Amino acid sequence: MIQSVAFIGLGAMGYRMAAHLPQHFDTVYVWNRNFEKAKQHATEYGTQAVELAQAVQADVIFSCLPTSKDVEELIASVKIKSGSIWVDCTSGVPESAKNLATQLKLHNIDFLDAPVSGQTIGAETATLTIMVGGESAAFEKALPAMQAFGKLIKHVGGSGAGFSVKAVNNMLLAVNLCSVAEGFTALKAHGVNLHEALDCINASSGKSGVTETVLPQRILNRSFPLTFALPLLAKDTGIALDLVREAKLSAPVIALTQSLIQASSDLSEKDSDFSSAVKMYESWSKITIE
Amino acid sequence: MIQSVAFIGLGAMGYRMAAHLPQHFDTVYVWNRNFEKAKQHATEYGTQAVELAQAVQADVIFSCLPTSKDVEELIASVKIKSGSIWVDCTSGVPESAKNLATQLKLHNIDFLDAPVSGQTIGAETATLTIMVGGESAAFEKALPAMQAFGKLIKHVGGSGAGFSVKAVNNMLLAVNLCSVAEGFTALKAHGVNLHEALDCINASSGKSGVTETVLPQRILNRSFPLTFALPLLAKDTGIALDLVREAKLSAPVIALTQSLIQASSDLSEKDSDFSSAVKMYESWSKITIE
Amino acid sequence: MIQSVAFIGLGAMGYRMAAHLPQHFDTVYVWNRNFEKAKQHATEYGTQAVELAQAVQADVIFSCLPTSKDVEELIASVKIKSGSIWVDCTSGVPESAKNLATQLKLHNIDFLDAPVSGQTIGAETATLTIMVGGESAAFEKALPAMQAFGKLIKHVGGSGAGFSVKAVNNMLLAVNLCSVAEGFTALKAHGVNLHEALDCINASSGKSGVTETVLPQRILNRSFPLTFALPLLAKDTGIALDLVREAKLSAPVIALTQSLIQASSDLSEKDSDFSSAVKMYESWSKITIE
Amino acid sequence: MIQSVAFIGLGAMGYRMAAHLPQHFDTVYVWNRNFEKAKQHATEYGTQAVELAQAVQADVIFSCLPTSKDVEELIASVKIKSGSIWVDCTSGVPESAKNLATQLKLHNIDFLDAPVSGQTIGAETATLTIMVGGESAAFEKALPAMQAFGKLIKHVGGSGAGFSVKAVNNMLLAVNLCSVAEGFTALKAHGVNLHEALDCINASSGKSGVTETVLPQRILNRSFPLTFALPLLAKDTGIALDLVREAKLSAPVIALTQSLIQASSDLSEKDSDFSSAVKMYESWSKITIE
């Protein structure tokens, strides 16, 4: 039985995810590097803003940080309660998950890699998808805590499997971003009405998350709202490519897409939304996708 | 007012599409190269199996053939009624549509390129999507006839625009086929449960028509049912790449995907379903996507 | 026996190529759209600046124009002497060569596609390489005229074969330009001395025309002298890709390179040397290859 | 002054490289995992076959093994003489070189990454190219030993720089292998004489090490002699791609080529020469490059 939970990393996602925990658990610790955020969360949602050393004494400890490196450094800096489960919701590196799981196991701590999808709206409405890697027993034990903010929660394999699925998902997003940019630029060059074309494609076999939501809600209306930064997508495509490389596989579309997203990220302002990857294509063709 | 319609080309799609016409029009001619098919259609649906010369005397003439070249040869061989509208439902070549439209206009005949999507099930239930290129007036006049088997019917631009949208749609399908094959091979190599992973991705930003239907219904269950032949998908990706080339655009993902689909088509049996494009990846990795 | 030769198109290459003809033939006509150039050539080299109608009365007629389209238009506008041989040194389109050869044959005129390599210095020193497509008999008859400015002169196949070889050569140049830019950017990012690295590579298996001459003479010294315009290289890579497409082959590296050169051409000033294709990579990485 | 040298790893390259050392140094130790090879070398060239523990007491210790991992394991297993210089001629991993250099420095040992090019013929004639990474002082001290078998010997940068240059060189080789296979398949599909085409290209801007030697000596004559195994080329392209990834660069041609070489390696017999990478293309097109 989970008595206490902690949430470490109160960014755009974490802040909203942690907000659901007090409805299910009596003791909910929160911690954030910028500690004002933690105190604000405590005031707003009835969580307890505590020092990191105390946070890691919870039965289930969630983390949601920018990269696996951040998680590694944080874990290296604390003494975690024996018997606890660390659930890392970062979009992280599979290899890192394997290493952390092995290392923490020596101290009788379980590590689950449990990245989420569903964006801030999903975090707010507790309808996130969670793809979890790690041992089955730990998954079962941590499940009630994950259910506080997740809807579809799947145990996809051993350590690193959750991060792997997230990386592949984001890679598929990236591939669609590039190919839709290419295809719609070509359609516009040939005088096709993009809005009508989009309606047709969304009723056909070429549709994707990008054609259904990203293209109409972020690109065609030229809004590019920052909810997921392009450099982070570049990082995730890199994780996907590393998966391919480690297994000595051949994945030409993934390899090429990683290069293209990297180039478009390098060309963009730092705080660009992932959807602005299409602007590299627009600079090539002098055609605006609108 | 449309008094008579004709349907030329009673393949898997055309046969089902033409079946709806008698409910809306008194005079419905059908013609097929293998004429037995036409006679069978007449018996089954109350259409009239007539000679080609008579079919092209209808007010609206539909065609649904393998390639634009077939349509060009057929049109060159007949004398079409002045004032009629030719609605070509082939997945054809934009450049060919422009040429046919210009040429037929000299004889007071309109030409619409009107490829469909929705597969045989959509043809059966009259819920096809139709993406139409050509003049607005002709589109408006032919619309009631197209409504016999279409549900979402969009006028996407001038001559060739319909074919262009279909080609881009099929290219996006091809891109997803390749990238999903690459991503899921990598996931399996890392011990991930593909079925659970698929559930997660279908609830996330990387989803597509391929992850939602092709992967579960054709690939993971190893059925590869032939409904759309791989060489035809290779042809369509070629049409999309030609669109890019004609506009002197840069579309690396489209260009690469065309090569990959061409290679997988060259390696496959002639009657392979488009979904069997993944088998090239499986032969590289010795990993079966199941 | 060749009594008279003509040279049409006195650009940077043609002007120098035609200069050698008077040493070998008594009657040498020259013509250029900007006719002043022709008159200047006559003064400088003892050729005869004549009207186009007279030029095409020569036994062997050379042309060297920007594109096959220019050649087609020019040929369509004149009445060429029966029994003559038209030798087109343009970097042209194989399909166009086939069509022109067939069409001119009806008027008892031979057409050879005979693009050259060796740049202006090769034209000046009469050491050009000439790759010739067309009928053997015509090749043999025209050989003495081609020897006036060519050194290595090869009959590589039927009509279009010469243009095909030139297109593939230029595609290989483009591939090396891109991969060298990628590789040397990476080396510099890792602190490697590029000049020493280049010496090693030029003594190793990775060497190419690009590493041996283009990189040291145009890129590392930041000179980018205009001798062959980047848009023309983009055109030639397109011809190579069309060759692949017509034969329904799969050529992923060619397809990708065509896209990259097209993008770098679209991003460049119109009068950029082909070597400035590397600048697209430099804009991505903020690393200068020097 | 170098009094003693050792050579560890007497493979096809190492055996020939070590053969030149006795002409320049009085004490030359050799060691090989299969020790019979070492004894044979001693008999043949007057070297001393010694135990590994003694070999690493030399002033300069050369190694030439399949991968960096082999070198790391070997170094971890021995106590190397303080003040010595380890010169690793393996085609290795830059990151590994940096780690080994740092680690050995703690024991007052210098490490140079010094991969070679020139194949077995270059090893035999002592005309190898050596690209060296590491500290200048160590380079200067080890230079006389390297001159025993090297001709062009360049200090290209700090630790890892030598391996980086070798990886990029081999990547360029791989790129040319793929693009030449694509281009020559296309030429043959269009009826071009490949031997004449090759002569033209080798006199033009598209030439490369592949067109000048690999294509005529290994592919067109269908000999594919095993001198450098395809899986090793796949490994080296992976090292090059890792260089790109570590620097967060975009290198689409390198990324794609890595995938293609990996696929062709996966499809090949284990002991295939690198030149047999073209056979993947031949299986796609059913065209033999001959």
Side-chain angles (χ1 to χ4, degrees), chain A residues 67-97:
Chain A
T67 69
S68 279
K69 201 151 172 294
D70 299 306
V71 178
E72 289 169 8
E73 289 173 4
L74 193 133
I75 285 181
S77 72
V78 291
K79 187 160 167 31
I80 306 163
K81 177 173 123 175
S82 175
S84 65
I85 305 176
W86 190 293
V87 182
D88 184 22
C89 299
T90 302
S91 288
V93 176
E95 200 61 25
S96 169

Side-chain angles (χ1 to χ4, degrees), chain D residues 164-183:
Chain D
S164 297
V165 173
K166 184 74 197 288
V168 167
N169 177 77
N170 284 11
M171 172 54 85
L172 294 175
L173 166 65
V175 169
N176 276 299
L177 211 44
C178 290
S179 54
V180 164
E182 296 179 6

Side-chain angles (χ1 to χ4, degrees), chain D residues 243-267:
Chain D
L243 276 181
V244 167
R245 296 262 306 112
E246 281 156 27
K248 292 193 191 305
L249 297 174
S250 173
V253 174
I254 287 179
L256 173 59
T257 299
Q258 204 283 322
S259 276
L260 293 167
I261 292 292
Q262 186 68 56
S264 64
S265 175
D266 293 347
L267 288 169

Side-chain angles (χ1 to χ4, degrees), chain A residues 164-232:
Chain A
S164 297
V165 173
K166 184 72 198 290
V168 167
N169 177 77
N170 284 11
M171 173 53 88
L172 294 174
L173 166 63
V175 169
N176 276 299
L177 211 44
C178 290
S179 54
V180 164
E182 295 178 6
F184 276 71
T185 306
L187 287 178
K188 191 161 180 193
H190 286 273
V192 174
N193 181 315
L194 297 192
H195 294 268
E196 305 288 7
L198 182 58
D199 284 350
C200 293
I201 288 173
N202 277 334
S204 302
S205 54
K207 76 172 173 185
S208 65
V210 168
T211 60
E212 288 175 328
T213 62
V214 180
L215 185 53
Q217 294 170 15
R218 292 170 186 249
I219 299 172
L220 285 173
N221 64 10
R222 313 306 292 169
S223 64
F224 305 102
L226 174 58
T227 61
F228 175 41
L230 182 50
L232 290 177

Side-chain angles (χ1 to χ4, degrees), chain C residues 117 154 169 182 196 204 254, chain D residues 117 154 182 196 204 206 254:
Chain C
S117 78
K154 290 280 182 178
N169 177 77
E182 296 179 7
E196 306 287 7
S204 303
I254 287 179
Chain D
S117 79
K154 290 280 180 179
E182 296 179 6
E196 306 287 8
S204 303
I254 287 179

